[in-house]
Amino acid sequence: MSKTSILVLHGPNLNLLGLREPEIYGSTTLVQINKTLKSNSEKLQVSLFCLQSNCEGELVDAIHNARNQHQGIIINAGAYTHTSVAIRDAITAVQIPTVEVHLSNIYTREEFRHHSYIAPVAIGQISGFGADSYCLGLQALVNYLKQEQS
Ligand code: DQA
């Protein structure tokens, strides 16, 4: 049996992590987050692929292309979380178990960040633990997939 494969999607402005509002998002860069996730994925014995895009359509395409390639998705859709019906519909269309993550706690911030279009179609959401949100999301997704496969 081939290894379980996880796709990690980072949305707009997350390429600027480390520089961007460090008081909110911390000083860890996206490269460091991806490196940590890769090392955690090896310990969890799954394959992991990371992609960042500032374009909504590219994120939609990546979700479509995940079909028959990845068994789970971790997504931080950035600001698209609060606006994108297209990303939500793509997740619904492919029916791949998806975990939504956020570095900041979106519920303690501006009201427009309190609503997520993705949350209702995700298996769960992790918000507010900085770079650890991704690691917690990966662990939770792998546990979920293992339970599903058994
Ligand atoms: C974010 C929260 C969003 O509201 C914001 O637009 C982002 C980052 C987070 O990880 O905390 O770009 O998704």
Side-chain angles (χ1 to χ4, degrees), residues 1 4 142-150:
M1 216 172 94
T4 297
V142 170
N143 288 353
Y144 176 91
L145 293 173
K146 268 193 195 143
Q147 273 171 30
E148 225 191 14
Q149 283 157 11
S150 68

Side-chain angles (χ1 to χ4, degrees), residues 79-95:
Y80 289 142
T81 305
H82 319 298
T83 62
S84 182
V85 177
I87 292 176
R88 174 198 175 119
D89 284 353
I91 294 167
T92 306
V94 299
Q95 290 287 300

Side-chain angles (χ1 to χ4, degrees), residues 12 20 25 76 78-79 82 102-104 106 109 113:
R20 176 191 182 204
Y25 298 116
N76 181 352
H82 319 298
H102 298 284
L103 297 138
S104 63
I106 56 173
R109 301 184 62 196
R113 297 186 203 274

Side-chain angles (χ1 to χ4, degrees), residues 32-49:
Q32 288 168 327
I33 290 177
N34 288 344
K35 226 171 148 186
T36 304
L37 284 173
K38 193 83 193 159
S39 134
N40 289 3
S41 72
E42 281 159 18
K43 287 177 206 147
L44 292 165
Q45 296 182 307
V46 296
S47 304
L48 184 119
F49 297 85

